[in-house]
Amino acid sequence: MSHPLTRVLTLLELLQSNARLTGAELADRLDTDVRTVRRYTAHLRDLGIPVEAERGRYGGYRLARGYRMPPLVLSNDEALAVVLGLLAAERLGMGTAAPVSAGTLAKIERVLPHALREPLAAMRETLSFTANAVIGQAPGTGVLLALAQASRARTTVGIHHQSWRREHTERDIDPYGVVFHTGRWYVVGHDHLRNSLRTFRIDRITSVKSRADRFTAPDGFDPVAHLTSTLAQGPYRWQVEVTIHGPLDEIARRLPSSAVTLAAQPTGVLVHARAERLDGMAHMLASLEWPFTIHQPDELRQALKDLAVQLTAAAQRKPEELPQ
C-alpha cells in the first residue's frame, strides 16, 4: 500500500465500514503515522467528503452522520462472496418474486475492473452444483422484509393470506421467526384468528400491515424445530415406526429432519415417520448401512421384499440379456 492515492481510498473504505476509528488505529491499518492520516483526511474533505474529527481521549475520525458514498467499493474477496451468494441463493430457491439475481450480477460486473470481472465471470459460467436446483414459489420482497422486521421488533402484523384451497382470510399474527426450508419461505408465530401456534407459507401471504401491539415470544422457542416437526406430521397415508440399530448422530445426518423424528433407545434409534408411498421408505431404509427392525406397518415388509426382488434381478442380469 505504498501509493498515497491507494491509502486515501483505503482510508475512505475504513471510514465507511466503521462508526469511528482513532488516528492511531487508522495509522496502523494504513501502515503510516498519525500525521499522515490527518493529511489524508484533509484530501477527502477537499473532495467534498465530510470527514469529522473528534478530539480527546475517546475521539477519532468518522464520516458525517447520514452521509453515504454513492459508489460501491468491493475488495476481491468481497466481490467473490457476493457473486457466490447470488448464485447459491438462485440454486437453493431463496430468491424473491422479482427476478433480481441476474440484474444484480450484471450491475456488479459492470462496475468491476477488468482484472476482477473476468475471473468472476469465469466462476459464474463454470460453477457446478452436486444438488439439483430447487424450484419453489418465491415470496414478495416487501412481504418477506416486513415479516422479518416485525419478527425482530416483536410487533404484531396483519396479513392477507390465501390457503392452498384458495380461501382468502385476513388475520393478525405474532411472527416468532422466518424460516427458509427446501425451497420455500415460512413464517412461524401465534395466529390471533385461531388463537394457536401456526405456520404460514410466505408466498401465500399477499400483504402485511404493521400493528401497534407488541408481543413476547415463548422462552426458548425454536422456529426451525417447530417447522420441521410440523412438516414431519403432515397428512400422509402411512405411519412408520422402525428401530435402526446405529448411532443417533450418524443417523440424524442421513435422514431428513422434515420427514422423521428420532429418539435414542438402548437398542438403537427409534424412527417415527409418515409416508405417502412405502416403496420410497423401503429405498431409504435400504440405503442405510445399519440393520433395522420394523415395528409398523407390516406392509413395509412387503415393500422391502419387492425391492429385494428387483435388486436381485438386477444383480443377476447379464449384458447379453439386455433388450435390443
Side-chain angles (χ1 to χ4, degrees):
M1 198 185 298
S2 58
H3 198 282
L5 178 58
T6 303
R7 286 200 179 106
V8 172
L9 294 175
T10 304
L11 171 62
L12 176 58
E13 184 178 349
L14 290 171
L15 293 174
Q16 286 183 272
S17 305
N18 298 272
R20 183 182 64 226
L21 290 172
T22 66
E25 289 172 332
L26 289 170
D28 182 62
R29 298 196 187 189
L30 295 171
D31 193 23
T32 186
D33 53 51
V34 174
R35 182 178 179 181
T36 304
V37 169
R38 288 198 293 267
R39 190 168 70 250
Y40 290 162
T41 58
H43 290 330
L44 291 177
R45 292 192 189 102
D46 291 340
L47 293 172
I49 300 172
V51 180
E52 297 180 346
E54 298 177 345
R55 297 183 179 276
R57 180 179 179 183
Y58 300 103
Y61 294 92
R62 69 180 185 186
L63 292 179
R65 294 186 184 278
Y67 180 77
R68 293 291 183 271
M69 285 291 295
L72 178 67
V73 180
L74 295 176
S75 67
N76 290 11
D77 290 343
E78 291 168 339
L80 177 60
V82 171
V83 170
L84 291 178
L86 290 169
L87 293 174
E90 183 179 16
R91 189 73 177 185
L92 295 172
M94 292 186 71
T96 54
V100 297
S101 295
T104 305
L105 280 171
K107 288 181 180 179
I108 291 176
E109 290 180 352
R110 278 200 300 268
V111 301
L112 291 175
H114 180 78
L116 183 55
R117 188 188 314 142
E118 287 302 313
L120 287 179
M123 170 64 72
R124 174 171 51 81
E125 294 171 7
T126 61
L127 178 63
S128 299
F129 293 82
T130 58
N132 293 329
V134 174
I135 301 175
Q137 185 65 37
T141 302
V143 169
L144 180 61
L145 294 179
L147 290 171
Q149 288 178 301
S151 177
R152 184 179 67 173
R154 293 295 189 247
T155 54
T156 302
V157 293
I159 64 171
H160 187 100
H161 179 259
Q162 176 181 287
S163 71
W164 64 275
R165 296 187 182 92
R166 299 194 178 279
E167 298 172 347
H168 295 264
T169 58
E170 293 186 2
R171 60 186 75 203
D172 285 357
I173 64 170
D174 300 335
Y176 295 161
V178 173
V179 182
F180 178 80
H181 178 70
T182 60
R184 298 192 187 279
W185 291 92
Y186 299 85
V187 58
V188 180
H190 178 76
D191 177 16
H192 291 223
L193 181 64
R194 306 298 184 199
N195 193 28
S196 62
L197 185 62
R198 298 288 299 277
T199 298
F200 299 95
R201 272 178 44 183
I202 297 180
D203 61 281
R204 291 178 177 163
I205 298 175
T206 57
S207 64
V208 178
K209 295 181 180 179
S210 298
R211 305 295 192 215
D213 300 332
R214 300 183 66 86
F215 67 87
T216 301
D219 291 338
F221 181 77
D222 186 346
V224 173
H226 175 79
L227 173 68
T228 55
S229 175
T230 299
L231 295 178
Q233 297 174 11
Y236 296 103
R237 180 182 178 188
W238 300 100
Q239 296 194 28
V240 178
E241 185 176 314
V242 177
T243 295
I244 301 177
H245 306 287
L248 175 60
D249 55 343
E250 293 291 332
I251 294 172
R253 281 195 285 267
R254 294 286 298 276
L255 299 182
S257 59
S258 62
V260 302
T261 57
L262 308 177
Q265 302 288 324
T267 58
V269 178
L270 183 61
V271 179
H272 289 277
R274 297 175 185 238
E276 189 65 28
R277 295 168 56 95
L278 290 178
D279 54 352
M281 184 62 63
H283 279 83
M284 184 182 73
L285 292 172
S287 69
L288 304 175
E289 61 263 34
W290 306 284
F292 54 85
T293 301
I294 298 172
H295 301 293
Q296 65 169 336
D298 286 336
E299 288 84 353
L300 179 56
R301 304 178 191 277
Q302 186 58 50
L304 283 163
K305 291 178 182 178
D306 294 342
L307 176 60
V309 170
Q310 296 174 20
L311 294 175
T312 300
Q316 295 175 347
R317 187 177 300 116
K318 297 180 180 179
E320 56 269 19
E321 297 175 358
L322 292 176
Q324 299 297 321

